[in-house]
Amino acid sequence: MPNIPKGTRDFLPSEQIKREIIIDKIKNVFRRWGFDPIETPTFEYYKTLSGKYGEEGEKLIYKFLDLGGRELGLKYDLTVPLARFFSDHQNEIVKPFKRYQIQPVFRAEKPQKGRYREFYQCDIDIVGSKNLLSDITIILTINYALKEIGIENFVIKINHRRIFKSISRKFNIEGREVELARIIDKLEKIGIEGVKNQLFEKNFNKDVVDGVINIISRKFQLEELSKFFSDSEFEIAYNELNEIFKYLKKFNVNFEFDVSLARGLDYYTGMIFETKVLNYEIGSIASGGRYDNLIEIFTGYNVPAVGGSIGIDRLLTVLNEMNLFNERKTWTDVLITFVKYEDEIISYGLKILEKLQNLHYNVDIYCGNKDLRGQLGYANEKGIKITIIIGEEEVKNNKVIVKFLEKNYQMEVKLDELEKCLNSK
Amino acid sequence: MPNIPKGTRDFLPSEQIKREIIIDKIKNVFRRWGFDPIETPTFEYYKTLSGKYGEEGEKLIYKFLDLGGRELGLKYDLTVPLARFFSDHQNEIVKPFKRYQIQPVFRAEKPQKGRYREFYQCDIDIVGSKNLLSDITIILTINYALKEIGIENFVIKINHRRIFKSISRKFNIEGREVELARIIDKLEKIGIEGVKNQLFEKNFNKDVVDGVINIISRKFQLEELSKFFSDSEFEIAYNELNEIFKYLKKFNVNFEFDVSLARGLDYYTGMIFETKVLNYEIGSIASGGRYDNLIEIFTGYNVPAVGGSIGIDRLLTVLNEMNLFNERKTWTDVLITFVKYEDEIISYGLKILEKLQNLHYNVDIYCGNKDLRGQLGYANEKGIKITIIIGEEEVKNNKVIVKFLEKNYQMEVKLDELEKCLNSK
């Protein structure tokens, strides 16, 4: 039996280094777009999380008790905790509140390939403004972050939750638009027929089902839809989307309107988006939308908000499989090795280590008990490209041997020429 | 009733920015000393954690069930998960295995000032080597990390667990050395009298208690102790510590031997250390030691290991209260503001934002609905020092107004001179 809990993962150095590189890049783009960081606890009171994610989401929350018998839940996403945070700190923060947050979230998913029970989300949100510049900022930031990471071929699919309201008005099923969106959200997983069946199962009548299936299967564009719908809900969606699209075009963002895009979570109210990598079969790697009524549950008054989230797991899968990553197995640049374990030799090695660190090299010093050959093997296995070899001769003459492992080439270097030698590589 | 779970915290931007700065610095020192990163899940099977931390630790583990009814526990530290990780991946990693790991850990502590139920640990460990160069590397790395962060006045207290074995031999209480260490570990909290009472409570006899209290209260130095002890356990401790001390002296580390240092956790076997900030009342900010028998529980064969851990919460308290921190409330350098919300003005603003980002400025663009005065107030509140103001005139003439808020000084600048102007600040 494996010792690691089902559905979770360990990250070994070669994988964790990639994650560190990606997260740093994302963080830098977030900062460059004017977002500041926050963190919230790994668990919340269960009552904070419950009733926010819809029926199916609710079941996936990890629930437990604290010592005082209060119900806690591991956080399911970073949006509901943000809403709770905003409410608790509304007098300490500047509005509109632009924050990024990069932390793990937890879902008790059924084990299956590529689904994990713990994974990182990288979120940005703007809380406290209805201004569409917020929606635009979110999409542009996500767009730039993905490009910064090295993903070039992707399209951002955009829709608006009010269009579902408009549809439900037209078919006289007002109030059931969230239910409708939940089912349409499964389109990619279960296909058109699957959506049709689930609509029937939930007792939508034939007219509704035929109408909805017609709309989503023919992928109507916004202009075409405006021939069918003309109520106030559609009008708002239409105007907002056109305004957003205008600016995205100016920034050469590759986007498209997609009326079949629904997003699974209940709390969205306005623009919604998902990101598809082109020529590669994988779900959305970044998504989000406007949720103007969620925070009110915590504050008691209306607080508009819009946000987006990048999932780094799928991103890493894409980067790995598309070979968009320069492999780097270790952060270490140089390994210091010893011909013999003697006092003077070790002291000399430690001094060299200090010297190189001051020059901002990452330096490993061999801490095991193998002979020189074993030490060079260690460097090779770890993927360290340069070793420094020290014996009695070297200590005596204030020199070292520098060995470039890939080129299988070594040279004797005076200590004060070491930096030059390493830079020449 | 507060909405955040008892014993946990939210981190607002001003605090989270400090945490990001500190963690980055620590990470860089860890990398410079040859450590590579790993991550492990937030929870482990409960059986992985249980029986490793001693009676009192055990009670503090958050326990819950997964969907399959298996017992899980939130991780209590990063050392036991490392042991499990090493065992699971022993064929995929290079030995000696040097890793750093920076993640939150969880303890269901009784609520009291300065004690939190979730906090970050920054750990380094070297697994698979008895070589004392490992012990030295751990202490030196911790020493350099603390200095890099800006802590200058601290002393590293060092002891050796075998000395407790030696004491227990001398007083004929062999096998009870862990129990002894656990009580002595509380010295700072409960004082000499407290330790004395707890020893009596645990049925150590008067000779033992008097002997132990004599040793720890008189703070015997290593040389003095060698007059009382001469068994093989003491001899090993004596030789190892002297070897370690020799190298620490060469690196000008401020350390001292402290026979009353015990460390609370059961798994230590060799050198142990804690770090005290001088002239400031706070517990240890970094600690660790050698634990040669822990990993065997998972692997079934002996694997020596040594490690150290920095707790960033106490560190931040120290830095904040000693004013060792340059306050930085936001990552944002520049805010773009608008005289009017008009299409052309907003487009112009977004173009400037893009331009400045390419120059690696962090730029916020105002997303709310306040007038210019309100927008400048937003910059002030957030701690942004430069604003760019755009109106119709500016768009027409390809200019902007740059306002330096602290100096309350503003100037009109041509777009192609903007960079020069910002750099002149």
Side-chain angles (χ1 to χ4, degrees), chain A residues 106 170 182 325 338 370 419:
Chain A
F106 305 85
K170 191 171 182 92
R182 269 189 218 152
F325 231 116
F338 307 104
K370 287 196 177 156
E419 187 182 3

Side-chain angles (χ1 to χ4, degrees), chain A residues 60-79:
Chain A
L60 305 183
I61 300 172
Y62 279 101
K63 213 167 143 177
F64 58 106
L65 299 176
D66 77 0
L67 289 179
R70 278 166 294 248
E71 285 188 322
L72 301 173
L74 295 184
K75 62 184 175 219
Y76 177 93
D77 71 0
L78 303 178
T79 309

Side-chain angles (χ1 to χ4, degrees), chain B residues 138-330:
Chain B
I138 295 293
I139 297 176
L140 287 175
T141 306
I142 296 284
N143 182 64
Y144 274 71
L146 294 178
K147 289 198 167 169
E148 181 80 17
I149 291 162
I151 308 267
E152 283 295 338
N153 283 309
F154 63 89
V155 59
I156 301 180
K157 291 169 176 258
I158 303 178
N159 197 6
H160 200 293
R161 270 287 176 100
R162 284 186 193 259
I163 291 179
F164 291 94
K165 273 201 175 169
S166 178
I167 291 173
S168 70
R169 271 194 193 179
K170 190 170 182 93
F171 292 112
N172 290 314
I173 49 162
E174 267 184 277
R176 298 189 70 188
E177 58 269 12
V178 168
E179 225 179 314
L180 193 65
R182 269 189 219 152
I183 296 171
I184 294 176
D185 182 55
K186 297 184 191 157
L187 180 60
E188 274 206 25
K189 251 192 251 167
I190 62 178
I192 282 279
E193 280 308 307
V195 170
K196 205 167 168 175
N197 291 336
Q198 291 212 358
L199 288 172
F200 279 126
E201 269 169 41
K202 291 277 175 187
N203 292 319
F204 288 95
N205 69 39
K206 192 168 182 312
D207 280 358
V208 178
V209 177
D210 287 349
V212 169
I213 292 294
N214 183 39
I215 291 166
I216 64 169
S217 62
R218 288 175 59 191
K219 297 238 171 208
F220 282 117
Q221 285 309 293
L222 201 50
E223 289 304 327
E224 296 172 291
L225 281 180
S226 65
K227 289 174 207 153
F228 297 104
F229 302 99
S230 56
D231 63 307
S232 60
E233 294 290 343
F234 182 80
E235 210 175 310
I236 294 171
Y238 182 84
N239 290 335
E240 287 191 3
L241 288 179
N242 273 320
E243 179 82 2
I244 292 167
F245 293 168
K246 184 176 69 192
Y247 288 101
L248 296 186
K249 272 179 205 151
K250 287 192 183 165
F251 275 79
N252 293 318
V253 175
N254 189 22
F255 70 92
E256 65 187 29
F257 172 76
D258 184 348
V259 69
S260 75
L261 176 73
R263 305 285 303 125
L265 296 170
D266 286 6
Y267 50 60
Y268 291 113
T269 55
M271 173 279 291
I272 48 178
F273 70 94
E274 282 189 357
T275 310
K276 273 287 315 131
V277 178
L278 299 174
N279 310 318
Y280 189 82
E281 267 318 310
I282 198 161
S284 170
I285 52 170
S287 56
R290 182 167 276 281
Y291 51 101
D292 282 345
N293 302 328
L294 174 64
I295 298 176
E296 189 169 2
I297 301 173
F298 295 95
T299 54
Y301 61 88
N302 189 256
V303 180
V306 57
S309 180
I310 301 177
I312 61 168
D313 288 298
R314 282 189 181 160
L315 213 53
L316 273 161
T317 308
V318 176
L319 291 168
N320 277 332
E321 298 200 7
M322 285 183 139
N323 282 319
L324 291 173
F325 231 115
N326 279 328
E327 198 72 34
R328 176 170 192 140
K329 283 169 68 186
T330 178

Side-chain angles (χ1 to χ4, degrees), chain A residues 10 20 31 36 42 84 89 98 100 118 129 131 144 246 250 330-331 343 347 354 363-364 367-368, chain B residues 10 20 31 36 42 84 89 98 100 118 129 131 144 246 250 330-331 343 347 354 364 367-368:
Chain A
D10 287 326
E20 289 191 344
R31 288 177 188 168
D36 277 327
T42 296
R84 196 270 308 147
H89 302 285
K98 292 177 74 175
Y100 68 83
E118 171 170 9
S129 170
N131 191 331
Y144 274 70
K246 183 177 67 191
K250 287 191 184 167
T330 178
W331 283 116
D343 224 47
S347 294
E354 200 181 21
V363 194
D364 192 5
C367 289
Chain B
D10 287 326
E20 289 191 343
R31 288 178 189 169
D36 277 327
T42 296
R84 197 268 309 145
H89 302 286
K98 292 176 73 172
Y100 66 83
E118 172 171 8
S129 171
N131 190 330
Y144 274 71
K246 184 176 69 192
K250 287 192 183 165
T330 178
W331 283 117
D343 224 46
S347 296
E354 199 181 21
D364 192 6
C367 289

Side-chain angles (χ1 to χ4, degrees), chain A residues 189-244:
Chain A
K189 252 191 250 170
I190 61 179
I192 282 279
E193 281 308 306
V195 169
K196 205 167 168 176
N197 292 335
Q198 291 212 358
L199 288 171
F200 279 126
E201 269 169 41
K202 292 275 175 187
N203 292 320
F204 287 97
N205 70 39
K206 192 166 180 315
D207 281 358
V208 178
V209 176
D210 287 347
V212 168
I213 292 293
N214 183 41
I215 291 166
I216 64 170
S217 63
R218 288 177 57 191
K219 296 237 170 209
F220 282 117
Q221 284 310 294
L222 201 50
E223 289 305 326
E224 296 171 291
L225 282 178
S226 66
K227 289 173 206 154
F228 300 103
F229 302 99
S230 57
D231 63 308
S232 61
E233 293 291 339
F234 182 81
E235 208 175 311
I236 294 172
Y238 181 85
N239 289 335
E240 287 191 3
L241 287 179
N242 273 320
E243 179 83 3
I244 292 168

